Amino acid sequence: MLKIDMHAHILPEDWPNLGAKYNTRGFPYLERHDGRCLIMRDGEFFREIWPNCWDDRVRIEEYETFGVDVQVISTVPVMFCYDQPAALGLEIARFLNDDVARRQHDHPRRIIALGTLPMQDVSLAIEELRRLREQLDVRGVQIGSNINDRNLDDAELFPVFEAAEDLGMAILVHPWQMMGRDKMPRFWLPWLVGMPAELSRAICSMIFGGVLERLPGLRICFAHGGGSFPYTIGRIEHGFNVRPDLVATDNPVNPREYLGRFFVDSVTHDPQALRYLLDVVGDDQVMLGTDYPFPLGEQEPGRLIESLGMPAATRAKLFHANALRWLGLDADAFR
Ligand code: CO
């Protein structure tokens, strides 16, 4: 069975240190020494990476051992650089987008590219979205769950979503700039507590702000199984019912109506959670995602879905049909 992992991260083998060029702080750069490769920011260690983060040959071989055919690649969110000057944001986005598009071009049956956008400047973001679609043959983009603490219903961001719908570009919303990260720096809490909350923040913002209502053709996916949203939809709906003066100010539609209108990945790390997620959003909306190649991702891509013992027709949806629909692609391209 064709298997597509729609949530996998990649980096170029190297990239220009634009922090020095633009004289800003916080820009990620690579340091290679003693055979190690480290992502650094302002002289501080951020993360160690290995060749499976940048080498197509290594990645494709690893995916073959997992029995997964296609990887949908997106940059690592530390590269979003939304808090950097817009010119830097555009320059790094173009560099990263050219890199993923080249990989897709080199391995058309193994790699599908997602782009990144300089979301701190909406007109530059739309320009780059158009370049991705029209010049680089890229079918979707990954964006953050908030943009410099502006939520995704912010009126200034709306034209980006409108353009994505017009161009038929899929969107992957990925947590970054996690809420509360300064208040809970220990125990990896920004990743373990902040990230699931970020997805609920993004989904609630797009529902209550009326973005999903106004753009019914937008093909949008929220990472990490939609974070805490599916598990708190009861509370969210109850809040909508009892305090419409607070919740239903911009959109009168019950939030539960939007279940089935957006996609999520399968990154839940728990068969019971995945089963529940399928019940809540429906088996047409869940896609194999792994967060490869990082330790918080699924270590044996595809195993969690296999563990549910679902019928072949359902597995086909989760393993490829839903992802192809989300991306607007045809399965024949990968056979
Ligand atoms: Co990820």
Side-chain angles (χ1 to χ4, degrees):
M1 181 179 290
L2 175 65
K3 290 185 184 174
I4 301 174
D5 173 7
M6 52 63 59
H7 183 168
H9 296 293
I10 198 158
L11 287 170
E13 190 159 357
D14 205 351
W15 59 86
N17 189 347
L18 299 183
K21 176 175 172 183
Y22 288 85
N23 194 25
T24 62
R25 295 179 55 76
F27 185 79
Y29 56 93
L30 289 180
E31 267 182 24
R32 284 188 163 87
H33 45 78
D34 305 333
R36 299 178 73 196
C37 184
L38 312 177
I39 302 178
M40 306 290 292
R41 285 189 301 185
D42 299 327
E44 282 180 29
F45 171 77
F46 171 70
R47 184 179 295 178
E48 180 166 6
I49 56 173
W50 290 271
N52 64 2
C53 203
W54 66 81
D55 187 328
D56 289 341
R57 194 180 43 80
V58 172
R59 293 172 64 97
I60 288 169
E61 273 173 21
E62 287 197 8
Y63 269 86
E64 274 171 11
T65 67
F66 306 140
V68 175
D69 309 276
V70 185
Q71 42 185 295
V72 181
I73 57 172
S74 52
T75 196
V76 180
V78 70
M79 303 304 294
F80 284 160
C81 300
Y82 298 151
D83 56 352
Q84 299 286 333
L88 184 160
L90 179 64
E91 187 169 344
I92 193 65
R94 289 178 69 105
F95 186 89
L96 297 169
N97 291 341
D98 289 344
D99 177 71
V100 292
R102 181 186 50 72
R103 295 170 192 267
Q104 174 181 265
H105 180 263
D106 290 349
H107 307 281
R109 293 173 67 250
R110 293 283 170 262
I111 292 178
I112 299 172
L114 295 181
T116 184
L117 301 175
M119 290 293 286
Q120 63 269 57
D121 184 312
V122 165
S123 59
L124 294 180
I126 293 172
E127 189 183 298
E128 184 61 6
L129 187 72
R130 199 168 287 285
R131 188 180 79 96
L132 280 159
R133 184 69 199 88
E134 292 171 356
Q135 293 178 35
L136 301 182
D137 195 30
V138 169
R139 303 300 179 117
V141 289
Q142 173 189 234
I143 64 167
S145 48
N146 73 80
I147 312 297
N148 299 329
D149 276 328
R150 284 155 67 189
N151 288 330
L152 298 185
D153 65 311
D154 191 297
E156 276 189 40
L157 301 175
F158 186 77
V160 179
F161 298 116
E162 203 172 28
E165 188 191 51
D166 278 350
L167 291 164
M169 290 286 270
I171 291 182
L172 170 62
V173 176
H174 194 291
W176 193 241
Q177 298 183 313
M178 277 76 80
M179 64 175 91
R181 59 194 182 280
D182 301 328
K183 296 195 171 66
M184 48 178 194
R186 295 183 70 202
F187 312 126
W188 214 15
L189 294 191
W191 270 253
L192 302 183
V193 174
M195 279 192 162
E198 276 296 329
L199 272 317
S200 192
R201 170 192 194 166
I203 298 171
C204 285
S205 296
M206 295 194 85
I207 289 175
F208 293 131
V211 181
L212 298 185
E213 186 60 26
R214 292 164 71 192
L215 300 174
L218 187 66
R219 300 195 306 268
I220 189 162
C221 172
F222 297 92
H224 304 168
S228 57
F229 180 85
Y231 314 98
T232 51
I233 180 59
R235 178 179 180 84
I236 291 162
E237 183 188 31
H238 184 70
F240 170 86
N241 286 328
V242 297
R243 290 302 302 269
D245 57 313
L246 299 178
V247 182
T249 54
D250 293 22
N251 179 10
V253 181
N254 185 312
R256 201 176 280 276
E257 297 286 316
Y258 296 91
L259 298 172
R261 297 259 300 262
F262 56 81
F263 295 88
V264 294
D265 68 25
S266 63
V267 183
T268 53
H269 304 289
D270 184 317
Q272 266 189 294
L274 181 56
R275 214 172 276 125
Y276 170 79
L277 181 62
L278 285 160
D279 282 347
V280 171
V281 303
D283 60 18
D284 288 322
Q285 309 302 130
V286 180
M287 311 184 275
L288 170 63
T290 67
D291 236 341
Y292 173 91
F294 298 126
L296 199 49
E298 184 176 5
Q299 298 301 292
E300 287 180 72
R303 186 168 167 78
L304 180 64
I305 290 175
E306 294 284 8
S307 77
L308 295 198
M310 293 177 292
T314 311
R315 283 172 28 242
K317 290 181 183 182
L318 273 58
F319 279 136
H320 61 260
N322 296 342
L324 292 168
R325 209 170 78 253
W326 173 58
L327 292 162
L329 289 169
D330 197 288
D332 291 342
F334 305 97
R335 294 216 167 95

